[in-house]
Amino acid sequence: MSKGTVVLAYSGGLDTSCILVWLKEQGYDVITYLANIGQDEDFEAARKKAESLGAKKVFVEDLRAEFVEDFIWPAVQANAVYEDRYLMGTAVARPCIARRQVEIARREGAQFVSHGATGKGNDQIRFELTCYALYPEVKIIAPWRIPEFYNRFRGRSDLMEYAKEHGIPVPVTPRAPWSMDANLMHISYESGILENPKSHAPADLYLMTKNPEDSPNVPDVLEIEFKKGVPVKVTNVKEGNSRNSPLDIFSYLNEIGGKHGVGRIDIVENRFIGMKSRGIYETPGGTVLLKAHLDIETFTMDKEVRRIKQGLGIKFSELVYNGFWYSPECDFVRQCISKSQENVEGKVQLSVFKGQVYIMGRESSKSLYNEELVSMDVQGDYDPCDASGFIRINAVRLAPPSILRMAPNSFTNCLLQATHT
């Protein structure tokens, strides 16, 4: 008798194929779910493989458009960067994948969901917190935290042996000596030979970006138009072609950024679960957008609003990295960030060249920049006395104790000197 129905987040790889068969061994009816979020995958082959292994139903869902609009765009608005460098391509993708997994589980009346994330990583938390937030009654089967499973499969060789015993097709191409996670936003590389943080990344590791040394000797000049803090159009200035839909915009920025070797980083980060890990990432389109959005935001946003928003962006990044996309606090922070973006619109022109993004200029009807006011050649309505008061206040704040102990007249002379220097 069946123990119930489980919706398995399925990739078609060795781990989740073995988990599919193992769940059936345990007495569950298994529905597999594979999300297309831009990874290089033979989705039809994966479907057939799941069916051949006994999946009760197989869902293959194209989530690329909603991944960009519902998850990447809020990250762009937030300037979301974890620990100053990581643009969180994996962390942003997990709530997108899990949201659809839960929808399928509810519709199919499944009491369980399952995934192939290990017990040492962040993804188990990201998947499970999303599932609990959106389907509180669901029960989660995490094989890599179940002793009967992880004691049986101590390594890849055990999985390979199990696959042979159960007729599970195994990869015929040599496996890369590291772990990869790919989607529309990035590719991440970790584990294997990369676990030694001193080891340099092999030259053939990167799949999404060219080596900057081998990239074109002529830059691409782009104009990116923003409304409410998200891109609505990208134009290649030299070629004259444009992209307008969110998916096309982001895909094109990936193409241009990858062509010029933009978005490579090699970092050691702090996992939420409590350990440091070494990761190598390439995020070409996301890196181009971060540079452009920072520029148009500074151009159009009030100084003090932006100061608060910077702190919210850091908080948002921590919440998303740790798996709390659907928490009340993250929802609140997202709404605050969205409010801050109401006037963030305009066009940014930039050059993409040899691994770098160079801002060239910007324009906006919502600009807070006053060319006449800031001009060194035109006085306009500006009263220089306004600056003297500001300088006096800060001179007192910054003055060393020896100055503050001076006679009042001497201190006043110092301030007057400061205002005229």
Side-chain angles (χ1 to χ4, degrees), residues 301-310 312 340:
M301 187 179 287
D302 174 80
K303 172 187 172 183
E304 296 303 323
V305 171
R306 188 169 186 274
R307 190 190 305 273
I308 295 169
K309 189 261 178 181
Q310 282 179 293
L312 291 173
S340 79

Side-chain angles (χ1 to χ4, degrees), residues 236-251:
N236 190 307
V237 174
K238 293 181 179 179
E239 297 177 3
N241 54 53
S242 298
R243 306 291 191 279
N244 299 284
S245 76
L247 180 56
D248 286 345
I249 288 170
F250 199 77
S251 298

Side-chain angles (χ1 to χ4, degrees), residues 69-228:
E69 295 178 59
D70 296 349
F71 297 90
I72 295 178
W73 277 184
V76 170
Q77 289 179 312
N79 301 320
V81 181
Y82 180 69
E83 295 188 334
D84 304 316
R85 291 183 288 175
Y86 174 37
L87 272 66
M88 304 193 300
T90 298
V92 170
R94 294 314 185 226
C96 175
I97 297 169
R99 180 175 73 177
R100 184 61 180 146
Q101 183 179 13
V102 164
E103 289 172 356
I104 291 171
R106 280 187 174 279
R107 191 178 71 198
E108 297 297 319
Q111 308 93 328
F112 304 91
V113 294
S114 184
H115 59 76
T118 74
K120 288 187 177 182
N122 295 308
D123 279 345
Q124 58 181 331
I125 301 167
R126 295 164 182 159
F127 273 116
E128 294 178 28
L129 288 182
T130 295
C131 291
Y132 284 133
L134 302 180
Y135 188 4
E137 315 88 69
V138 78
K139 297 180 177 64
I140 293 172
I141 302 172
W144 287 112
R145 295 204 309 267
I146 298 173
E148 292 84 356
F149 186 90
Y150 68 70
N151 285 326
R152 181 175 182 179
F153 303 106
R154 306 297 294 180
R156 186 172 175 82
S157 59
D158 291 338
L159 288 170
M160 293 286 284
E161 186 62 32
Y162 181 82
K164 291 176 183 177
E165 291 173 3
H166 292 81
I168 301 170
V170 297
V172 294
T173 55
R175 179 173 177 261
W178 50 75
S179 173
M180 286 174 45
D181 177 69
N183 60 48
L184 190 67
M185 190 172 184
H186 85 165
I187 301 179
S188 68
Y189 309 88
E190 60 183 14
S191 191
I193 64 172
L194 303 178
E195 288 177 352
N196 181 347
K198 185 179 177 180
S199 298
H200 294 199
D204 62 346
L205 175 140
Y206 297 97
L207 300 177
M208 206 171 183
T209 57
K210 273 185 175 290
N211 186 331
E213 294 178 1
D214 302 323
S215 64
N217 292 321
V218 178
D220 276 281
V221 177
L222 305 178
E223 181 177 82
I224 303 176
E225 182 177 350
F226 289 87
K227 285 187 180 178
K228 295 187 177 180

